[in-house]
Amino acid sequence: MPNAPQPRSTAASATLYQQLAEDLSLAIARGTLPPGSRLPSVRRTSQSRQLSLNTVVAAYRVLEDRGLIEARPQSGYYVRARLPSPARSAMMQSSAAKPTENKVLDLIGTVLDAQQTPGFIDLALACPRGSDFYPGNKLARLMGQILRRQPGMVSTYALPPGSERLRVQIARRSMELGMALQAENIILTNGCMEALQLALRAVTKPGDAVGLESPTYFNLLPLFASLGLKAVEIPTDPQHGLSVDAVELLLSEGRISALVAMPNIHNPLGCSMPLEAKKRLARLVNHYQVPLIEDGLYAELQFSDTQAPAAKAFDEDGWIIFCTSYTKTLAPDFRIGWMEGGRFGATLRKLKFASSVAQPMVLSETLGAFLESGGYDHHLRALKRHYAQHVEKVRGLIARHFPAGTRATDPAGGFLIWLELPEACDSVALFHAALAENISIMPGPLYSPGGRYRNAMRLSCCYPLDERYVAALTRVGMLAHQQLSR
């Protein structure tokens, strides 16, 4: 090849890679290469700069070491978003309160009503849509094959315990999260929300105080209210998750009857608890014999190749109830979830039968067949790459369009970003201003029974990042700027 880069001396190569790294650093600092943008491939840079491949790789490694770019498997190098992380969580007064004692539940209703507005742009709900995120065509073909072989399935009542094929696959896959579950102990549910509801009904009674991460998943608040439970907010760090020290204090004082937590890929923070913290949490709930309801909805969406184990993996005496579903990863409309109830299994099976009897067999068999085929592993790898790219692009947009001083999480998985705006910003007012322009966001007070996090908000990156999404997010940033200017 006449234009191939020529070999150079070691000293010259060292100078050249350093110069290339400086040139790219300057381009990033000036915004020529904005956050979230893809760098030219190593080969392309080698050809355009007449440098060896090793020289370009060395320069890119320098930029990686500086935290300016990151490598994404099978995708290339990208400019990292220059956003500070949210402040570490402060200790708070952990008093029990009913979610109905504030306006949070009314605000949740307003957010959900906004979803019905014609032409609205959703930056709010964690509800991926379309073939970019779900293997709908493959599932449809599998379902067709199953019905052709067993046409009588749709005219037969599904009864507990439900599809053995699916439960066997769930038990097999539980090993990925460090658990060793048995198919006969798996209870199929109507999504993760039914699993959480059944778990709370099994281990609490009206008037009980239940520990809850703060911030927490907003839909737990109406669930607590419907069951007559009091929420005790527990500090949850944006990088390290639930404060185990605070949990230990509450347990030692006998102040909570149960605990609900998301140790892996927290909603809304996107963080995971360190391994030792999960082990300690499991030891504590077993020692004090207070049930932990572990919400593992996003656990399979960890970006790292090696999956961090669930807290349930360290459950010695059955005091941890694990709940999850396939709505975020595989088939939202199937509403297939599952739970493993430990020592509460018999009670949970009775509650499930009284609540909704069983899950549809044809849907369960379809998921079981997909898991059995190995298609889920391939789909999950692609989905995690997709979400990692979306998250980084959205963080880049936040860095470019939101006010100075804005902080954002860098999630370890999933597709949610938690923003802390400057103190003077009011995310509820921002929600209403955006809603007037057919844009839906999730204001921070939704994630606290006490209505905290007034200057925070959650964004979802589970939609196509098309012109409408980018324009809507840019507009929200402008509205935040306008708030501050007033």
Side-chain angles (χ1 to χ4, degrees):
M1 290 174 54
N3 295 324
Q6 298 301 308
R8 302 173 188 265
S9 69
T10 303
S13 294
T15 303
L16 289 169
Y17 90 76
Q18 291 169 346
Q19 183 59 54
L20 175 58
E22 291 304 315
D23 290 348
L24 293 172
S25 295
L26 188 60
I28 291 170
R30 290 176 173 173
T32 307
L33 288 172
S37 63
R38 186 175 185 272
L39 269 67
S41 69
V42 170
R43 186 170 298 279
R44 182 177 172 187
T45 301
S46 169
Q47 293 171 344
S48 65
R49 295 262 188 158
Q50 290 291 291
L51 299 171
S52 72
L53 293 174
N54 287 341
T55 299
V56 178
V57 168
Y60 281 17
R61 283 177 178 165
V62 169
L63 297 178
E64 278 190 285
D65 292 341
R66 295 178 184 175
L68 296 177
I69 68 172
E70 64 178 1
R72 298 179 187 165
Q74 301 178 351
S75 183
Y77 291 88
Y78 288 78
V79 179
R80 288 182 60 86
R82 288 165 291 169
L83 277 173
S85 296
R88 293 182 66 88
S89 61
M91 295 301 290
M92 59 183 69
Q93 187 67 32
S94 295
S95 57
K98 292 182 179 179
T100 49
E101 292 174 354
N102 52 59
K103 298 180 180 179
V104 173
L105 298 184
D106 293 336
L107 186 56
I108 290 174
T110 304
V111 170
L112 295 177
D113 289 343
Q115 305 298 311
Q116 309 305 316
T117 306
F120 87 102
I121 303 170
D122 194 358
L123 310 180
L125 293 186
C127 300
R129 302 188 192 108
S131 58
D132 285 350
F133 307 103
Y134 297 116
N137 291 333
K138 293 179 181 178
L139 291 172
R141 285 195 297 271
L142 275 175
M143 185 183 294
Q145 293 168 10
I146 289 168
L147 288 174
R148 282 192 293 273
R149 287 195 300 266
Q150 303 177 65
M153 190 178 290
V154 293
S155 57
T156 303
Y157 271 98
L159 295 172
S163 169
E164 181 180 13
R165 173 189 249 174
L166 177 56
R167 288 182 293 110
V168 166
Q169 290 303 313
I170 288 172
R172 180 184 66 83
R173 288 198 60 83
S174 72
M175 297 175 67
E176 298 286 333
L177 294 172
M179 299 180 286
L181 308 182
Q182 303 299 315
E184 57 265 28
N185 295 329
I186 302 295
I187 301 170
L188 302 181
T189 61
N190 186 32
C192 190
M193 277 308 298
E194 186 186 40
L196 294 170
Q197 181 195 85
L198 295 175
L200 284 167
R201 287 171 60 194
V203 302
T204 66
K205 61 184 184 301
D208 279 354
V210 177
L212 201 60
E213 294 160 314
S214 185
T216 190
Y217 171 45
F218 72 89
N219 211 21
L220 287 174
L221 305 187
L223 176 57
F224 272 45
S226 71
L227 297 175
L229 300 174
K230 298 176 181 178
V232 178
E233 294 188 72
I234 303 175
T236 304
D237 186 80
Q239 283 83 44
H240 305 295
L242 180 69
S243 169
V244 185
D245 288 340
V247 171
E248 183 170 21
L249 179 62
L250 291 169
L251 291 174
S252 67
E253 294 178 350
R255 292 172 57 191
I256 56 175
S257 300
L259 172 66
V260 182
M262 297 185 78
N264 277 333
I265 313 303
H266 182 271
N267 175 7
L269 297 175
C271 60
S272 291
M273 293 175 66
L275 180 62
E276 289 305 315
K278 290 178 195 170
K279 291 180 178 179
R280 183 181 166 206
L281 178 62
R283 286 196 301 269
L284 285 170
V285 297
N286 276 271
H287 174 74
Y288 286 100
Q289 299 186 349
V290 172
L292 164 63
I293 301 170
E294 179 174 4
D295 183 346
L297 186 59
Y298 294 88
E300 287 194 302
L301 290 176
Q302 299 176 57
F303 293 152
S304 60
D305 293 332
T306 303
Q307 301 292 278
K312 176 70 176 175
F314 310 107
D315 185 17
E316 294 181 353
D317 202 23
W319 288 95
I320 300 179
I321 302 173
F322 188 83
C323 305
T324 188
S325 86
Y326 291 102
T327 54
K328 303 301 182 190
T329 59
L330 198 52
D333 201 50
F334 281 22
R335 300 299 304 166
I336 301 292
W338 63 271
M339 64 194 307
E340 206 280 359
R343 61 175 45 241
F344 305 99
T347 300
L348 288 165
R349 282 189 285 275
K350 292 174 184 176
L351 287 172
K352 167 61 184 178
F353 185 76
S355 174
S356 55
V357 184
Q359 294 309 111
M361 184 63 77
V362 66
L363 302 182
S364 301
E365 283 288 296
T366 300
L367 286 190
F370 190 75
L371 296 177
E372 204 173 62
S373 71
Y376 185 56
D377 295 294
H378 175 76
H379 162 70
L380 207 54
R381 285 192 294 270
L383 186 63
K384 291 193 290 185
R385 285 198 300 269
H386 199 61
Y387 282 143
Q389 293 168 7
H390 272 216
V391 164
E392 193 61 27
K393 287 178 182 177
V394 171
R395 279 172 48 81
L397 291 169
I398 294 166
R400 289 163 61 184
H401 299 295
F402 277 67
T406 297
R407 296 172 176 268
T409 53
D410 190 1
F415 46 75
L416 303 173
I417 298 176
W418 180 254
L419 271 68
E420 286 183 0
L421 301 167
E423 285 290 338
C425 282
D426 183 330
S427 63
V428 176
L430 189 61
F431 161 73
H432 288 293
L435 189 60
E437 301 188 23
N438 279 358
I439 303 169
S440 178
I441 63 172
M442 296 294 274
L446 286 180
Y447 299 88
S448 161
R452 306 173 195 267
Y453 313 114
R454 194 80 184 180
N455 67 317
M457 60 183 285
R458 189 194 78 177
L459 289 175
S460 292
C461 311
C462 58
Y463 303 103
L465 301 187
D466 53 20
E467 290 183 6
R468 293 179 76 244
Y469 184 101
V470 172
L473 184 58
T474 302
R475 181 57 184 158
V476 172
M478 292 176 63
L479 290 172
H481 276 288
Q482 290 172 14
Q483 244 193 31
L484 288 176
S485 68
R486 290 195 294 269

